[in-house]
Amino acid sequence: MRKMIPSALTLANLLLGFLALLFIFKDELVPAICLILLGLLCDFFDGYFARKLDAASELGKELDSLADLVTFGVAPAALVYVASLHEIAVLGALCCVIYLCCCAVRLARFNVKQACLAGFVGMPTPLAAILILLISVLSTPGVTAIGMLAVGALMVSRISFPGLKKMKSEPAEEYR
């Protein structure tokens, strides 16, 4: 039973991302942002409880990445497009697609090569989602488009980002 807790939190993350999309379709962006942020909490605690309860599994890792793609990839890209980038139509949509593709590549790369590391190679998707939401709220569509591309590039970069798996922040090891 206790081993179901991490998966339940992962599925809650997925559900929150989907609900955020429904609010975005209704042009209710503030509730959508709140749902994405709640998904962030679920994402943090699913990994925490998987480690604490010795319930980590390959299935859980894959499920987590699928949920993260919805909550931190699809939902934020849709929200930023509706909130800002629709003003620059095709270019705005292209920036959202590029961000989403970078998010998918980053999550797949994590599962294949990085899941055992203390830190991350490339910006983690939850941080990327928060950054693009902040950029879109605080700037113009042109700056938001550039910001989405920059954040996408950071996700697939080889730059080390600290992780929360250990309390001491250690840079991620280079993988080959």
Side-chain angles (χ1 to χ4, degrees):
M1 180 69 169
R2 66 184 171 94
K3 293 194 176 207
M4 292 174 54
I5 293 170
S7 292
L9 287 165
T10 299
L11 292 173
N13 175 16
L14 177 64
L15 174 66
L16 291 164
F18 177 73
L19 290 174
L21 286 166
L22 296 181
F23 277 97
I24 293 163
F25 293 152
K26 293 171 53 176
D27 204 27
E28 296 181 25
L29 305 184
V30 172
I33 291 170
C34 292
L35 290 167
I36 292 168
L37 294 176
L38 284 172
L40 179 73
L41 285 175
C42 290
D43 184 54
F44 173 78
F45 283 112
D46 69 358
Y48 174 80
F49 283 117
R51 288 183 296 279
K52 288 294 180 190
L53 299 173
D54 194 29
S57 69
E58 288 298 311
L59 178 65
K61 180 175 70 170
E62 299 297 331
L63 185 61
D64 183 69
S65 287
L66 293 171
D68 288 356
L69 185 59
V70 173
T71 305
F72 308 125
V74 177
L79 193 146
V80 170
Y81 183 81
V82 168
S84 174
L85 294 184
H86 71 278
E87 294 180 25
I88 52 175
V90 175
L91 179 61
L94 181 63
C95 289
C96 290
V97 167
I98 291 170
Y99 169 84
L100 184 57
C101 289
C102 290
C103 188
V105 167
R106 196 259 172 275
L107 289 164
R109 187 175 73 187
F110 175 81
N111 283 354
V112 170
K113 297 187 177 190
Q114 298 178 41
C116 61
L117 299 177
F120 300 100
V121 177
M123 179 181 286
T125 56
L127 177 58
I130 291 169
L131 286 178
I132 66 158
L133 292 174
L134 282 173
I135 291 167
S136 72
V137 168
L138 299 174
S139 62
T140 64
V143 171
T144 299
I146 292 167
M148 284 197 82
L149 295 175
V151 169
L154 285 171
M155 281 192 286
V156 296
S157 74
R158 304 227 181 224
I159 297 171
S160 293
F161 288 81
L164 298 175
K165 289 180 187 175
K166 295 182 179 179
M167 285 301 150
K168 289 191 306 186
S169 221
E170 300 174 4
E173 299 168 17
E174 184 63 29
Y175 64 93
R176 305 219 182 253

